[in-house]
Amino acid sequence: MKKFLLPISLLVIFLYSLSNWLGFIKEQTLTYNLLVLANISCLLCLIIASFYGVFVQVNGVKKMSDEEEDERLLLVERQSYSTVIWVQVAFSISFVSFISGFMLVRDYYPKIVLYSICLFIASFLGLVLVSYLTRYSNPNFELPDPHSPTYQKELFDSFDDGEKYLMLKGLYKLYYWLILLLILLGFGLMFYSIFTEQSQLISIVGIGCILLFIQTYFALSLKPKR
Amino acid sequence: MKSRLKEFRARDGLNQSELAKRAKISRQTVSLIEREEYMPSLLIAVRIAKVFNEKVEDVFILSEEELL
């Protein structure tokens, strides 16, 4: 029951915030409402993640027969990944909400920006904490010493060929998606600049630099060394 | 490539986790091989075959097209 303390506490905060917001929704500006909606969505993601995290802890220590053991480990692994995904979604939402809140409403609604910062920190801590779930989903895996100067290399080397293959497959797809989306974003910003007369030139140049970096970095990593 | 991992695991009473531990690979890799989503490297194939006391070619079956 102790394990459910965090998700239930978050759920209480969520319900309180939601009822508070819905009571005054009509009196507030659109920007305010959108930022509160983003914060509440972020909180909801954290609640879902924390429930998944608890399920991982509960299912991770269950004793099963040999036939059911594979199914149990697969379930724990899936739940572990769900936890990571929901925390990452919360992190992204809180990041955007914090940045846009700080830019747009820091003088009028500093409380909203403060909540966004708190959610951003909570999501970041969540990202750190989910790495400890591997002890349930992958009990044989040993995380290298985080203080080691070659931590990244040691971490990469601790994965076997099968896991590396899976990562490579995902990254390869992601690489092409990233390029396509950045190009589309660049075009979108171009039309946005023309129609609204708000120049997004710096953002477009920034996207160009990122495109240049990721493509040359990838090509250089494939180029044979002497 | 087809593998007889499930069959040999059932014979020896090993679950994926136990096989992974003995072959010094991850359970995820065992699962990937069983689902035929990953063709193991020579090292992994030999380690798995060694756990079952079988020849590599008896555990992993390559079709004629794959060998040509």
Side-chain angles (χ1 to χ4, degrees):
Chain A
M1 197 60 204
K2 233 179 172 182
K3 289 186 175 98
F4 284 95
L5 198 65
L6 177 70
I8 289 171
S9 313
L10 288 174
L11 194 62
V12 171
I13 298 171
F14 169 77
L15 291 173
Y16 173 75
S17 317
L18 188 69
S19 63
N20 227 352
W21 175 50
L22 291 176
F24 299 100
I25 192 167
K26 284 183 184 163
E27 296 156 30
Q28 302 295 348
T29 60
L30 180 68
T31 317
Y32 176 92
N33 283 334
L34 283 175
L35 287 169
V36 175
L37 182 67
N39 282 350
I40 285 179
S41 311
C42 174
L43 193 56
L44 186 63
C45 292
L46 286 176
I47 292 167
I48 298 171
S50 56
F51 270 109
Y52 269 119
V54 172
F55 294 149
V56 170
Q57 289 176 51
V58 171
N59 290 323
V61 291
K62 266 187 188 170
K63 293 280 171 228
M64 293 280 194
S65 64
D66 268 357
E67 298 89 57
E68 290 168 326
E69 184 64 6
D70 293 340
E71 295 293 319
R72 181 187 72 84
L73 282 168
L74 185 68
L75 177 74
V76 172
E77 195 186 342
R78 286 179 59 82
Q79 286 173 338
S80 184
Y81 274 107
S82 298
T83 315
V84 176
I85 291 165
W86 284 108
V87 175
Q88 283 172 339
V89 173
F91 183 76
S92 305
I93 294 175
S94 62
F95 175 69
V96 174
S97 147
F98 160 45
I99 300 248
S100 41
F102 191 80
M103 269 166 48
L104 301 169
V105 297
R106 65 179 182 277
D107 295 330
Y108 316 107
Y109 308 112
K111 257 186 178 179
I112 297 295
V113 183
L114 184 70
Y115 293 148
S116 299
I117 295 171
C118 291
L119 286 166
F120 180 66
I121 295 168
S123 314
F124 180 75
L125 289 176
L127 281 176
V128 176
L129 288 174
V130 287
S131 63
Y132 292 102
L133 291 179
T134 48
R135 79 171 76 148
Y136 299 101
S137 60
N138 198 351
N140 299 329
F141 185 78
E142 276 179 33
L143 274 171
D145 177 16
H147 304 293
S148 166
T150 53
Y151 176 74
Q152 286 298 336
K153 190 186 174 302
E154 284 173 39
L155 183 66
F156 185 72
D157 289 341
S158 53
F159 295 111
D160 69 9
D161 288 356
E163 291 166 309
K164 282 177 186 165
Y165 167 78
L166 207 62
M167 279 191 252
L168 178 68
K169 217 165 81 170
L171 284 172
Y172 195 64
K173 280 183 196 163
L174 182 72
Y175 172 73
Y176 285 102
W177 270 108
L178 191 62
I179 289 171
L180 180 72
L181 291 174
L182 282 175
I183 290 170
L184 288 176
L185 183 63
F187 274 114
L189 286 176
M190 181 186 79
F191 287 114
Y192 178 81
S193 303
I194 294 166
F195 292 123
T196 61
E197 291 180 2
Q198 286 180 330
S199 175
Q200 298 293 315
L201 191 64
I202 293 175
S203 308
I204 294 169
V205 171
I207 289 167
C209 291
I210 295 171
L211 265 175
L212 180 77
F213 174 74
I214 54 172
Q215 294 197 96
T216 46
Y217 187 87
F218 184 62
L220 280 172
S221 65
L222 298 178
K223 191 178 165 183
K225 291 174 182 67
R226 273 187 205 171
Chain B
M1 187 191 73
K2 298 225 177 291
S3 81
R4 294 170 66 196
L5 247 65
K6 263 188 187 173
E7 188 189 322
F8 286 126
R9 278 202 303 114
R11 184 195 70 187
D12 294 356
L14 297 173
N15 58 41
Q16 287 181 343
S17 194
E18 195 59 39
L19 170 64
K21 211 172 175 180
R22 291 194 194 180
K24 289 179 186 158
I25 54 173
S26 66
R27 191 196 57 80
Q28 286 78 357
T29 300
V30 175
S31 172
L32 280 173
I33 298 169
E34 284 190 0
R35 295 202 306 265
E36 292 175 16
E37 285 181 30
Y38 167 64
M39 195 186 280
S41 63
L42 183 63
L43 179 69
I44 289 179
V46 171
R47 278 185 188 169
I48 290 172
K50 216 173 159 187
V51 172
F52 295 127
N53 278 323
E54 296 284 344
K55 287 181 190 165
V56 176
E57 58 267 35
D58 290 337
V59 183
F60 301 99
I61 301 143
L62 292 154
S63 64
E64 280 300 316
E65 295 90 59
E66 282 171 317
L67 290 168
L68 287 175

